[in-house]
Amino acid sequence: MNQKSTEISRRNFLKSGAVVAGSLVAIGAGVGIVKTVTGNDVRNKNFLRPPGAAKEKDFVYGCIKCGLCVQICPVHAIRLAGINKGLSYSTPYIDPRSQPCDFSCDSLQCVETCPTGVLDFRQFKHAGTEAIIAYEEERKAERQQQNDSIHGVGMHDGKGPHGADKGYNPFPIQIAAMKEAVRMGTAKLIPETCLAVQGKGFTGTPRDQDFKGVYRSPAPTTTEITEQEGGDRPRRHQQRGNASGEQIYEKQASPLRNKTFARDICNLCVTECPIGEKAIVMSAETMADGTLHYSPQVLDGCTGCGVCVMVCPTAEASIIVLPNN
Amino acid sequence: MIFKKSKDKEPLPAKPVGQLPHAQEGLSYNEWRNKRRYNHKWRNIRWAVVIGLSLLFMLSFMLDLSILEGSLSGSRLVGFYLIDPFNTLQLLSISSRTGFIALLTMNFWIGLMIIVGFYAIMGGRTYCSWICPYHFIAEWVDKLRGYMEKKYKIKNHTFNRSLRYVFWVGFILLAFATSSLVFEVINPVGIISRALIYGPGLILLWIVALVLFELLYSKRFWCSYVCPIGTTMAMVGKASPMVVQFDYEKCGYCGECQKVCEVPHVLWFTKRGKATQKIHTAGADCTRCGYCVDRCPGKALTYSFKGIDKLT
């Protein structure tokens, strides 16, 4: 090798080395700056992780940004974060004020579809299995009772646990249990602006006319209130779909802007909750002067889905969801 | 393996002019050389595959076709997961510290196996030219660059190719140090793929910057010196039987393959007096793009699947 080419290769080597060192330092510094600007944790009331999310510090790297959860979500609640979210760029989030997760999906597909398990399905699988076991125990007991009344105590008809059990269908119960096991966040009331706390009612459409969120009535629960209990609870059954005279439970989804409600005391967050009374109830206290003081109360069953946040009619939602994971 | 050994052997003697293919066909050298100048068969097929795949990704989401869901960083083809190997390496490097590895699903491992298995057979960097949407853009940038080099006399700045191994290690270490998928944030493959599927975002400015840098400063900077996905794929496809094969007898030393190739060092044996055996195959860095196969006037370069002749 002559002197000239040695010189060239040395220069080339130095140049290349400088490029690598420079680039890696720049990227490292960039990451550092981004971390200080946006922080590691960008979650807030408008940035919830989808159901079953791992702890945020694991979520940031465990998510490979493929977007499968976004694609599979039937209610289009999950979105991918922009680069303004720093290192959480392109990770999935739910903004409950614009479109909450309302559990009208078949089986929490977003969690099932996640390849890295950063949305961890195991907890829901477990909850579903528990529910099936409980259901089978119940059916068994029922059948035993029936058997006893037909064949006499202690006799057995020789069929399996649900061999002749025509109504045996554990799947709705399993899926309901899975959904109830979700803990994306916890709803928190902001009593300063809440209409119910102020004793006000609400009539009309809760959100603007250009609001794009989709509304689905919650399925009727077994604890549907059919009678007004001494006037201390706002009535629940009357108002469902009263605008167009539809059935109590309307399966079809429609934009929230097409819905109107009429309540003497605003209780949209309570009545529209897909989980129902395990998650939120309206409490009424009798004050010293004999008037009733209403306040929605979030219970342990709250999944953090955020339907209450979407339907809240005040300008700034009077109920927010604080992320849990 | 064969590649390294063959390079160290004594080269075959350069063919005299009388034995070159143009002389044997009775054509003048220039006539022979221009024979397949406008042949773009493989390029067209390849572009159709790149565009078709991108469309399939887009339409699967838009029309809810459920054929090819997800994006290029992780997807599902009719139910089978496909996972990017370099993402996995970053993830595993962080997981080694945090224990997250236990959470990874069976689907993830199966998806990784499918991708590694597929590219180990079909040639690792096949991914670059047949799948990667950034490569497609870069090809057009190259064309524009070729035009600008002539017109405005832009200089091309080249670097040492082993830079990419340093970047490869560097990105894994950065991921480990910062506990986040640093590379995935700046990865043009993922960014473009997601922009096509989920809609554009501000991050596309990064792609613009990258394209401008490649256009004005260094040709194919990202693909040649940085992209650790390509490096990983080259490792995966190191012993791939799917290769571009060179036939010494048909070569006319025209050097056209070197001009059209993105990674000309893999075609070292096409230079006069360099070939050491009658049949050579291009090395792991070859993206199997097919430009040389299209261009070669003597059809000395062809796609070939090693060992397929032994099967029949």
Side-chain angles (χ1 to χ4, degrees):
Chain A
M1 203 180 266
N2 61 35
Q3 207 184 347
K4 199 179 169 191
S5 66
T6 317
E7 184 62 25
I8 286 171
S9 73
R10 208 171 99 215
R11 261 172 61 190
N12 197 356
F13 174 77
L14 286 175
K15 193 168 85 171
S16 303
V19 168
V20 178
S23 309
L24 286 175
V25 165
I27 294 166
V31 169
I33 291 166
V34 163
K35 269 197 169 183
T36 49
V37 172
T38 58
N40 253 344
D41 192 346
V42 295
R43 292 169 306 153
N44 57 39
K45 65 185 169 66
N46 295 322
F47 197 96
L48 302 176
R49 293 302 187 186
K55 290 265 166 277
E56 184 65 13
K57 67 174 177 48
D58 290 330
F59 195 95
V60 177
Y61 69 83
C63 172
I64 56 170
K65 313 178 198 291
C66 64
L68 278 167
C69 51
V70 178
Q71 299 206 6
I72 209 154
C73 180
V75 301
H76 305 300
I78 307 177
R79 297 156 189 207
L80 291 185
I83 191 64
N84 57 337
K85 295 294 181 189
L87 293 178
S88 285
Y89 158 68
S90 252
T91 53
Y93 74 100
I94 293 174
D95 176 5
R97 187 66 172 158
S98 24
Q99 177 62 58
C101 159
D102 60 13
F103 297 126
S104 56
C105 52
D106 295 331
S107 62
L108 299 177
Q109 301 98 309
C110 52
V111 190
E112 274 180 292
T113 199
C114 180
T116 59
V118 77
L119 302 178
D120 188 2
F121 192 65
R122 290 175 304 182
Q123 48 190 311
F124 303 124
K125 202 174 169 185
H126 182 71
T129 313
E130 296 269 287
I132 293 182
I133 292 168
Y135 174 76
E136 277 183 356
E137 294 286 317
E138 199 182 302
R139 297 290 290 195
K140 219 170 163 184
E142 251 173 52
R143 283 180 51 72
Q144 195 59 47
Q145 224 169 29
Q146 278 173 9
N147 259 346
D148 290 352
S149 59
I150 298 165
H151 303 292
V153 177
M155 296 285 284
H156 196 264
D157 59 0
K159 283 166 189 159
H162 39 80
D165 196 345
K166 287 218 173 66
Y168 180 80
N169 182 12
F171 301 112
I173 283 140
Q174 179 196 16
I175 286 163
M178 275 160 51
K179 288 174 180 172
E180 281 174 19
V182 170
R183 291 289 180 277
M184 281 186 272
T186 316
K188 183 175 171 288
L189 188 77
I190 301 173
E192 289 78 21
T193 49
C194 177
L195 292 176
V197 172
Q198 294 163 20
K200 288 180 188 165
F202 173 74
T203 310
T205 306
R207 303 292 295 275
D208 298 337
Q209 277 309 303
D210 53 358
F211 180 68
K212 292 198 175 62
V214 175
Y215 165 91
R216 291 166 188 83
S217 301
T221 53
T222 46
T223 49
E224 186 86 22
I225 312 150
T226 47
E227 279 175 78
Q228 204 180 357
E229 294 162 0
D232 63 346
R233 279 187 86 111
R235 284 183 291 176
R236 188 167 177 178
H237 70 290
Q238 270 192 349
Q239 291 94 349
R240 285 266 171 85
N242 58 356
S244 47
E246 285 152 352
Q247 290 299 302
I248 285 178
Y249 175 48
E250 184 205 57
K251 270 188 176 168
Q252 226 185 346
S254 66
L256 185 63
R257 59 171 184 267
N258 296 347
K259 290 282 168 185
T260 47
F261 299 90
R263 307 289 164 91
D264 299 334
I265 294 292
C266 177
N267 60 353
L268 292 182
C269 51
V270 179
T271 59
E272 305 315 313
C273 177
I275 302 301
E277 293 181 338
K278 288 178 197 160
I280 188 167
V281 290
M282 185 67 89
S283 76
E285 265 180 76
T286 314
M287 305 306 279
D289 58 353
T291 56
L292 283 169
H293 178 254
Y294 293 101
S295 172
Q297 253 185 347
V298 180
L299 305 177
D300 287 346
C302 178
T303 59
C305 69
V307 172
C308 51
V309 181
M310 176 175 79
V311 297
C312 185
T314 52
E316 191 75 13
S318 301
I319 189 162
I320 57 172
V321 178
L322 300 175
N324 262 352
N325 69 301
Chain B
M1 292 167 287
I2 303 161
F3 172 78
K4 271 190 184 151
K5 270 187 213 159
S6 65
K7 203 167 185 176
D8 296 335
K9 275 195 243 166
E10 197 61 35
L12 297 173
K15 290 184 280 190
V17 178
Q19 276 178 33
L20 292 180
H22 72 271
Q24 284 174 347
E25 286 174 40
L27 298 167
S28 82
Y29 180 65
N30 278 336
E31 263 180 325
W32 174 82
R33 185 176 177 153
N34 287 331
K35 252 170 75 178
R36 302 176 75 208
R37 170 141 272 168
Y38 302 105
N39 175 34
H40 295 304
K41 180 187 157 199
W42 285 106
R43 188 200 68 184
N44 293 346
I45 295 175
R46 190 164 53 80
W47 282 359
V49 170
V50 175
I51 295 171
L53 266 174
S54 301
L55 272 178
L56 197 56
F57 266 121
M58 286 162 75
L59 295 180
S60 278
F61 184 37
M62 270 184 207
L63 310 177
D64 215 358
L65 292 179
S66 302
I67 298 171
L68 188 55
E69 297 153 288
S71 65
L72 278 178
S73 30
S75 57
R76 194 172 43 207
L77 178 67
V78 284
F80 287 97
Y81 281 82
L82 307 171
I83 302 292
D84 178 66
F86 189 70
N87 253 343
T88 310
L89 283 174
Q90 285 184 91
L91 189 52
L92 293 185
S93 83
I94 306 168
S95 296
S96 65
R97 197 175 62 190
T98 58
F100 182 80
I101 193 166
L103 241 70
L104 294 174
T105 62
M106 194 45 79
N107 281 332
F108 180 88
W109 295 113
I110 294 171
L112 183 66
M113 296 298 173
I114 293 176
I115 285 294
V116 170
F118 179 81
Y119 287 105
I121 293 168
M122 293 311 288
R125 289 200 69 195
T126 309
Y127 174 88
C128 298
S129 63
W130 287 76
I131 312 283
C132 177
Y134 183 73
H135 184 283
F136 181 73
I137 294 173
E139 275 178 63
W140 288 93
V141 174
D142 269 3
K143 279 189 195 304
L144 186 59
R145 193 188 161 87
Y147 168 78
M148 284 173 67
E149 267 177 6
K150 273 184 205 145
K151 189 151 189 197
Y152 304 107
K153 308 250 183 312
I154 302 176
K155 253 176 78 184
N156 185 22
H157 299 78
T158 54
F159 302 90
N160 192 329
R161 282 197 77 88
S162 48
L163 268 187
R164 61 215 169 101
Y165 296 109
V166 187
F167 272 115
W168 189 82
V169 174
F171 278 119
I172 291 178
L173 288 180
L174 263 181
F176 184 80
T178 58
S179 282
S180 64
L181 303 182
V182 177
F183 177 69
E184 196 51 33
V185 177
I186 57 166
N187 175 13
V189 186
I191 290 169
I192 294 170
S193 174
R194 280 190 295 272
L196 288 171
I197 300 161
Y198 307 114
L202 256 186
I203 189 79
L204 284 178
L205 287 177
W206 164 242
I207 306 294
V208 173
L210 214 53
V211 161
L212 282 179
F213 183 78
E214 294 197 348
L215 186 64
L216 302 174
Y217 190 77
S218 178
K219 183 184 172 187
R220 276 302 173 90
F221 182 78
W222 189 266
C223 301
S224 312
Y225 310 117
V226 184
C227 186
I229 298 179
T231 314
T232 317
M233 286 301 188
M235 294 174 187
V236 167
K238 187 98 183 155
S240 150
M242 170 73 215
V243 286
V244 169
Q245 199 178 61
F246 170 71
D247 188 346
Y248 171 76
E249 300 294 344
K250 294 177 180 168
C251 178
Y253 301 132
C254 65
E256 288 293 334
C257 51
Q258 299 269 346
K259 282 188 205 156
V260 293
C261 187
E262 308 294 350
V263 279
H265 63 281
V266 302
L267 294 175
W268 58 272
F269 39 74
T270 60
K271 287 181 186 157
R272 183 196 293 268
K274 294 279 183 188
T276 59
Q277 47 200 40
K278 298 277 180 195
I279 302 288
H280 273 291
T281 52
D285 281 348
C286 173
T287 67
R288 282 84 168 161
C289 69
Y291 272 133
C292 59
V293 179
D294 277 345
R295 184 65 190 89
C296 184
K299 297 191 182 175
L301 292 156
T302 45
Y303 281 123
S304 153
F305 199 88
K306 279 187 211 162
I308 203 144
D309 47 334
K310 283 168 197 146
L311 286 176
T312 48

